[in-house]
Amino acid sequence: MPRSSSAKPLAASASSTPPPIQSAVSKPKSKGAKRKDDYSSEGVEDNDVFLLPGSDYQVLLGLTILGALVRLFRIYQPTSVVFDEVHFGGFASKYIKGKFFMDVHPPLAKLLITLFGWLAGFNGDFDFKEIGKDYIEPGVPYVAMRLFPAICGILLVPTMFLTLKATGCRTFTAALGAGCIIFENGLLTQARLILLDSPLMITTAFTALAFTSFSNQHELGPSKAFDPSWWFWLVMTGLGLGMTVSIKWVGLFTIAWVGSLTLVQLWVLLGDYKHVTPRIFAKHFMARVFCLIIIPLTFYMGMFAIHFLCLQNPGEGDGFMSSEFQSTLNSKGMQDVPADVLMGSRVTIRHVNTQGGYLHSHPLMYPTGSKQQQITLYPHKDENNIWLLENQTQPLDIHGEPINGTNAWYNLPELPYIQDGAILRLYHQPTHRRLHSHDVRPPITEADWQNEVSAYGYEGFDGDANDFFKVEIVKKKSKSGVAQQRLRTIDTKFRLVHIMTGCVLFSHKVKLPEWASEQQEVTCAKGGTLPNSLWYIESNEHPQLTDDAEKVNYANPGFFGKFWELQVVMWKTNAGLTESHAWDSRPPSWPILRRGINFWGKEHRQIYLIGNPIIWWSATAAVVIYVLFKGLAVLRWQRSYNDYSNVVFKRFDYEIGTSILGWALHYFPFYLMQRQLFLHHYFPALYFGIMAFCQIYDFLTARIPGIGLRENPVINKLGAVGFLALSVVAFGLLSPLAYGNPWTKAECNRVKLFSTWDWDCNNFLESYDAYSSLTQAPSISQTPVQSIKTQPVQQVNQPVDNAPPAQVPIVQEQQPPVEEQPAVSGAPPPVGQKILSREERVEYRDQNGNLLNEEQVKALEGKVEFKTRYETRTRVVDADGNEIVAPESVVPPPVAPSHPDVEGVDRETPKRLVPDEPVPVAEKSVEGEKEAEEKVAKPASENTEATGKQEEAAAV
């Protein structure tokens, strides 16, 4: 299409067609040059990856085999749970058991990991509960489960090779890119473990290959439009997008990359008025809508359909979902219940917002405050959830006398409906106490606007005025009709306003301590938000509501309702992961490889996620080079230089710019996120950075004329070989951290270039011989060693410059290997093994592992934070009872903490402000122990101003 020679071209189209160039320096166009008048791009050849020379496929095969050797080498080690295998292995167990769980990531990769485990015989009995938990003794087919990410990592090698060939790069350049993938330590580490990043990377790379191949066909012009190859790569692009976003929502960034370039293509098509009629443009548009929107969306929803099909039983994650969602799970559904709620109804009351569960009480007292019986939210059905609804006064008989007892409401001539504004008492039948509140601070949320809620009274006790709550129906949240006028099961959403203090029954995502079984806190809030103070009745029984009474039940949300609800919960949970983590990092540190992630540590070995600095920094340099190039090109264009008439210049801008756009869209969005972030979030951007680096290298050594490199192909080959050799050296130096191999302190310190590379070289032994003696020591008596006792060790997290972060508490079981029989975790000791002692002691150490005495600990109290780490130390004896002295070594390295980047968790319960204040143990309830002191009903608190505060609280 004709354009002014001075017009600025679109960065992603390269569709203008200037005459052939004569040198690397742009020159005026020849007036007699013939121009193309369609939307095809000049300088583009058909780079169909199915039509490569046979020698290219030989190179491809060799690189793939090399990648497989690197990825599969000693994949069986470590033989225990590593980092987020805690979560993703645990999800496989839940899939096999059919137990519902809530995860912030879509299900595709987790389903495939489960498939590999199931095919290898995994029955789901192993729970992957903690880092360092042994795989060998329970017979977990962990190698098969690790094999799926490893295969994804292997396939990443040929995918990079083919993608670079699709962009027009030379074979040695494509081999350079594939080699960078093979010897990138970070990608290797992720590909050897039961994690999601390796599947994410292969689907992202496949999408890049498919769209690059489609773009190549598109740029060849109308002659290739709608050909089988054109359709194939467009469909594969849509499938790749669907797979990528079905593994992690990071795939949305890949969708943004493809979508941006697709809009540029459509814009160029719209400008070709000679060859693209409105009908043809509509055909192009609808083809892209179907392949790039309908196919990915259908695939994504299909993965959740399989997810729901596999998870049909209740599990730990169903508490995140609504009652309607939970009712679709086996044993969670309920029979139809009477719709009308009456005085005297036996009901269960559920909280609306937090999905924390049922209003609950049990015969345990608060250890602080009023020391009355606890009120909590409990997520499971239980008879301690049952409450009897009573009027503020007892009904009258025909003589005008009150009818006493809890059965007083069962034989009235008229049904005693509970209208909006009714004043109730809630009687807890299992413990014979009533729901109660007073001006006493709760045990955890000690805010002035929060009052304690308790259960008060005993059987036969009439109660007092602090038992009265007013029903306030929230009409905009209730079903229209009768449910807005009186209490109806399920359909009516209401608040319970305390008459004496004006506060509202309230719950939020704060867990009570162990003395309340870590159930959710319930308070009475004077300024609580509406969602956290909404309740509804789930079950309802009353003798006067017979079988012919109107019944209700939860509405079945269907697939689309469940699908959308889960997306909302995933989004909110993901956004809520804002707390800091010992190994998190922020986006500015990623391109320079400032720090990594400690995955695992045991037996003086360590797995630490760190990239290959040669490859990492080269990819970053490629981004900087293009940014400088683009800035200079824009300045020259503004000064009316005709650089874009040069085909090579234009192709450089478009092809490199496409990869840099992919890098930017997979990197910069993380700056907008306040949630926890880790180095592995940079991997998709790194992939595009490596592509850009290889493309720049190819242009410099094989495509730009006039600088003497294109004419000498040997330079391209030698440069690629030299760079890969340097990368292999760096890879080898850091490989013990990827494989978990033995390493020495000296070698560790030699490659630790920066203090922010915060793995601890003191964890390793002095020599490789020490590892050999460590392995052989237990074989003296041929007696297996068992973990004897965990010992809590208090560490001081003292602020020191460049000090590594303290480990999150976790139990570590040390089991030295033996020759014939592996260490058995938690199993009874074999015959012949003697346990010398079981000891437990507390030690205080600083961040460097130095032991602190009592005076030093006392001096640090209140100034630093103490964190607990549990260690196991074993002593081994031979058959004669002689103790075997293990080789002298340092304290075993701490196990790396897991991070909540996967499974949704509630916020932690705030700690008490006075850490040294002892918290009494919750006492069991003794019926009438406190209440029997006073037979006359009177307020338990001295506050008599509640009536005036009622309207103020209702306005919240």
Side-chain angles (χ1 to χ4, degrees):
M1 49 192 160
R3 294 182 184 274
S4 170
S5 61
S6 62
K8 181 181 179 180
L10 290 169
S13 70
S15 60
S16 56
T17 55
I21 60 168
Q22 300 175 9
S23 68
V25 181
S26 59
K27 295 184 178 181
K29 295 186 294 184
S30 170
K31 294 182 179 180
K34 185 178 179 180
R35 295 176 54 89
K36 291 184 180 181
D37 59 353
D38 57 30
Y39 63 83
S40 61
S41 298
E42 190 172 3
V44 176
E45 299 177 357
D46 189 352
N47 299 318
D48 193 336
V49 296
F50 293 120
L51 301 176
L52 298 177
S55 59
D56 282 359
Y57 292 118
Q58 293 174 358
V59 173
L60 178 66
L61 179 60
L63 290 168
T64 304
I65 293 174
L66 178 60
L69 293 175
V70 172
R71 294 297 186 271
L72 298 178
F73 176 68
R74 294 182 178 175
I75 195 173
Y76 56 83
Q77 68 180 27
T79 60
S80 57
V81 179
V82 178
F83 199 54
D84 276 352
E85 288 185 339
V86 167
H87 301 295
F88 301 120
F91 293 153
S93 298
K94 293 171 184 175
Y95 270 126
I96 291 174
K97 296 294 186 181
K99 294 182 178 180
F100 185 84
F101 63 88
M102 209 298 294
D103 179 31
V104 298
H105 300 305
L108 175 58
K110 300 190 289 287
L111 286 168
L112 292 174
I113 290 171
T114 304
L115 177 62
F116 271 69
W118 179 76
L119 291 175
F122 182 48
N123 58 10
D125 288 339
F126 188 76
D127 58 11
F128 297 85
K129 192 173 184 179
E130 58 191 21
I131 294 176
K133 190 170 184 178
D134 180 46
Y135 283 139
I136 302 299
E137 188 268 333
V140 181
Y142 71 101
V143 173
M145 299 175 74
R146 287 178 180 174
L147 191 60
F148 168 63
I151 292 173
C152 294
I154 294 167
L155 294 177
L156 198 61
V157 175
T159 305
M160 172 63 86
F161 182 91
L162 293 175
T163 304
L164 291 173
K165 291 297 293 184
T167 63
C169 291
R170 304 303 182 264
T171 300
F172 264 82
T173 304
L176 171 64
C180 289
I181 298 298
I182 294 173
F183 299 111
E184 211 299 297
N185 298 65
L187 295 176
L188 168 67
T189 304
Q190 290 282 14
R192 293 169 48 82
L193 303 171
I194 307 172
L195 304 174
L196 303 188
D197 295 278
S198 189
L200 174 69
M201 288 301 299
I202 185 56
T203 55
T204 302
F206 176 78
T207 305
L209 168 62
F211 189 72
T212 300
S213 298
F214 170 75
S215 297
N216 177 251
Q217 297 296 303
H218 166 79
E219 288 191 277
L220 292 174
S223 62
K224 288 288 186 178
F226 308 111
D227 279 358
S229 179
W230 187 95
W231 274 111
F232 174 80
W233 288 117
L234 184 59
V235 171
M236 290 299 102
T237 302
L239 184 62
L241 291 174
M243 290 189 297
T244 305
V245 78
S246 295
I247 293 174
K248 279 189 175 184
W249 278 353
V250 174
L252 294 172
F253 305 153
T254 311
I255 291 176
W257 177 66
V258 171
S260 300
L261 297 176
T262 299
L263 291 176
V264 172
Q265 291 178 356
L266 291 173
W267 182 254
V268 173
L269 285 170
L270 192 62
D272 187 0
Y273 57 89
K274 291 185 178 180
H275 299 85
V276 182
T277 63
R279 179 177 175 275
I280 293 177
F281 180 83
K283 190 175 179 181
H284 275 279
F285 180 81
M286 294 308 299
R288 287 165 171 81
V289 168
F290 176 77
C291 293
L292 303 182
I293 297 179
I294 303 300
I295 289 179
L297 183 60
T298 302
F299 187 93
Y300 181 76
M301 296 180 71
M303 292 302 101
F304 278 94
I306 298 174
H307 179 75
F308 293 145
L309 188 64
C310 293
L311 304 179
Q312 296 188 353
N313 299 318
E316 296 176 356
D318 57 27
F320 288 90
M321 313 310 297
S322 68
S323 301
E324 289 80 2
F325 190 108
Q326 293 182 40
S327 67
T328 64
L329 302 175
N330 293 336
S331 77
K332 279 282 188 174
M334 66 178 189
Q335 296 180 346
D336 294 346
V337 294
D340 286 311
V341 180
L342 309 178
M343 293 292 184
S345 286
R346 289 161 45 92
V347 301
T348 58
I349 303 175
R350 294 201 69 165
H351 193 237
V352 172
N353 193 43
T354 64
Q355 303 302 330
Y358 300 88
L359 187 65
H360 177 92
S361 187
H362 43 227
L364 287 175
M365 300 294 190
Y366 288 119
T368 60
S370 69
K371 298 185 179 181
Q372 295 174 4
Q373 186 168 295
Q374 299 169 8
I375 298 291
T376 64
L377 234 59
Y378 184 60
H380 307 292
K381 293 182 178 180
D382 185 83
E383 62 181 24
N384 279 327
N385 304 335
I386 298 175
W387 300 85
L388 179 73
L389 302 183
E390 300 179 316
N391 194 8
Q392 60 178 331
T393 58
Q394 292 294 107
L396 303 178
D397 60 16
I398 57 175
H399 304 293
E401 297 294 329
I403 306 174
N404 296 319
T406 56
N407 299 330
W409 307 95
Y410 292 166
N411 297 303
L412 299 181
E414 295 184 3
L415 295 180
Y417 295 115
I418 301 178
Q419 305 289 339
D420 185 18
I423 297 177
L424 300 178
R425 295 180 297 173
L426 283 77
Y427 183 80
H428 190 246
Q429 284 201 311
T431 61
H432 307 291
R433 288 180 164 89
R434 291 181 176 86
L435 190 71
H436 186 92
S437 185
H438 39 220
D439 191 13
V440 176
R441 301 288 77 75
I444 300 300
T445 307
E446 299 177 345
D448 291 339
W449 54 279
Q450 295 270 29
N451 288 345
E452 179 191 84
V453 176
S454 63
Y456 179 74
Y458 56 92
E459 189 172 11
F461 180 60
D462 292 335
D464 64 25
N466 277 329
D467 299 339
F468 295 154
F469 289 85
K470 186 181 77 169
V471 175
E472 184 180 278
I473 295 177
V474 181
K475 294 181 173 54
K476 63 180 180 180
K477 298 290 184 179
S478 302
K479 187 177 180 179
S480 59
V482 180
Q484 296 179 335
Q485 307 301 322
R486 64 174 187 249
L487 279 189
R488 301 263 290 182
T489 307
I490 296 177
D491 295 336
T492 301
K493 305 301 185 291
F494 60 91
R495 304 202 304 169
L496 290 173
V497 182
H498 190 242
I499 294 297
M500 296 300 294
T501 63
C503 60
V504 181
L505 195 66
F506 177 90
S507 186
H508 51 170
K509 288 188 176 181
V510 171
K511 290 184 179 180
L512 295 169
E514 292 183 0
W515 48 256
S517 303
E518 296 185 345
Q519 296 174 17
Q520 189 165 305
E521 182 183 47
V522 175
T523 65
C524 196
K526 300 176 183 176
T529 59
L530 177 64
N532 282 340
S533 57
L534 279 183
W535 306 82
Y536 71 96
I537 293 172
E538 182 183 75
S539 66
N540 172 27
E541 295 180 3
H542 195 286
Q544 289 185 279
L545 298 174
T546 57
D547 292 339
D548 58 351
E550 181 184 357
K551 302 292 178 65
V552 293
N553 207 331
Y554 288 117
N556 190 327
F559 167 74
F560 291 102
K562 293 173 64 177
F563 170 80
W564 181 250
E565 179 180 339
L566 185 54
Q567 305 309 301
V568 173
V569 172
M570 289 166 60
W571 177 270
K572 291 181 178 179
T573 306
N574 198 9
L577 300 175
T578 57
E579 295 181 359
S580 62
H581 185 272
W583 299 101
D584 61 8
S585 55
R586 302 308 300 174
S589 68
W590 298 342
I592 60 176
L593 196 61
R594 188 172 185 271
R595 75 178 304 213
I597 311 172
N598 186 17
F599 270 17
W600 177 90
K602 198 173 183 182
E603 298 171 354
H604 307 289
R605 305 171 191 234
Q606 189 168 6
I607 292 181
Y608 184 95
L609 179 71
I610 192 72
N612 187 321
I614 302 299
I615 298 171
W616 208 280
W617 295 335
S618 297
T620 303
V623 175
V624 175
I625 289 172
Y626 178 78
V627 171
L628 295 176
F629 160 81
K630 189 65 178 179
L632 182 61
V634 170
L635 290 176
R636 287 175 60 84
W637 171 82
Q638 184 67 16
R639 296 294 296 171
S640 298
Y641 284 90
N642 199 20
D643 295 327
Y644 282 96
S645 64
N646 186 316
V647 175
V648 176
F649 187 97
K650 184 167 54 180
R651 295 307 304 173
F652 182 94
D653 185 28
Y654 170 68
E655 294 179 16
I656 312 300
T658 297
S659 298
I660 297 300
L661 179 65
W663 174 88
L665 289 175
H666 286 82
Y667 173 61
F668 287 114
F670 287 106
Y671 280 87
L672 304 177
M673 300 183 187
Q674 301 303 315
R675 54 151 292 169
Q676 293 171 344
L677 297 173
F678 299 85
L679 182 65
H680 60 75
H681 288 119
Y682 185 68
F683 282 152
L686 175 67
Y687 185 86
F688 284 98
I690 293 174
M691 281 181 56
F693 167 73
C694 294
Q695 289 173 291
I696 291 175
Y697 176 81
D698 192 73
F699 269 94
L700 290 176
T701 60
R703 299 177 68 174
I704 296 179
I707 59 176
L709 299 179
R710 186 181 71 170
E711 294 76 14
N712 192 354
V714 176
I715 296 177
N716 175 270
K717 298 177 182 179
L718 290 178
V721 171
F723 182 85
L724 283 179
L726 190 61
S727 300
V728 169
V729 171
F731 169 82
L733 292 174
L734 293 170
S735 62
L737 293 175
Y739 291 114
N741 287 339
W743 214 14
T744 65
K745 291 182 181 179
E747 292 179 353
C748 174
N749 285 314
R750 185 165 61 247
V751 301
K752 192 173 182 181
L753 302 180
F754 309 104
S755 60
T756 54
W757 289 4
D758 48 1
W759 64 82
D760 188 1
C761 291
N762 292 323
N763 291 332
F764 302 100
L765 299 181
E766 297 290 347
S767 66
Y768 292 106
D769 292 338
Y771 285 96
S772 300
S773 60
L774 181 67
T775 303
Q776 296 172 0
S779 64
I780 297 175
S781 64
Q782 299 297 317
T783 302
V785 180
Q786 182 199 19
S787 177
I788 295 176
K789 184 70 177 178
T790 57
Q791 302 172 353
V793 179
Q794 294 288 342
Q795 282 192 321
V796 181
N797 199 15
Q798 190 171 2
V800 177
D801 293 339
N802 299 325
Q807 298 291 330
V808 175
I810 195 161
V811 176
Q812 176 182 0
E813 293 188 356
Q814 303 257 339
Q815 299 177 14
V818 296
E819 287 186 353
E820 295 182 357
Q821 185 175 353
V824 179
S825 174
V831 177
Q833 178 173 345
K834 297 182 180 180
I835 298 177
L836 297 182
S837 64
R838 297 178 181 269
E839 300 175 352
E840 181 174 318
R841 69 173 183 270
V842 177
E843 296 176 351
Y844 292 87
R845 297 179 182 271
D846 62 16
Q847 75 284 349
N848 297 319
N850 300 318
L851 193 65
L852 303 178
N853 57 38
E854 294 183 3
E855 294 181 358
Q856 291 172 313
V857 172
K858 188 173 182 180
L860 290 172
E861 286 183 355
K863 301 178 181 178
V864 297
E865 178 184 359
F866 291 91
K867 292 190 176 182
T868 304
R869 191 186 77 208
Y870 293 90
E871 288 183 357
T872 296
R873 300 175 185 175
T874 59
R875 291 187 288 171
V876 185
V877 298
D878 59 20
D880 299 324
N882 299 317
E883 183 177 353
I884 300 170
V885 180
E888 183 177 355
S889 61
V890 297
V891 177
V895 174
S898 61
H899 65 79
D901 187 26
V902 281
E903 192 169 14
V905 292
D906 292 341
R907 296 182 181 274
E908 294 182 357
T909 299
K911 296 182 175 62
R912 298 179 64 86
L913 298 179
V914 186
D916 296 329
E917 179 183 344
V919 179
V921 177
E923 299 178 357
K924 289 189 176 182
S925 173
V926 179
E927 184 174 303
E929 179 183 34
K930 297 182 181 298
E931 296 86 342
E933 299 175 1
E934 302 180 29
K935 297 293 184 181
V936 180
K938 67 177 182 180
S941 62
E942 298 298 324
N943 189 355
T944 59
E945 302 176 0
T947 306
K949 297 180 180 180
Q950 181 176 344
E951 295 181 1
E952 180 182 348
V956 177

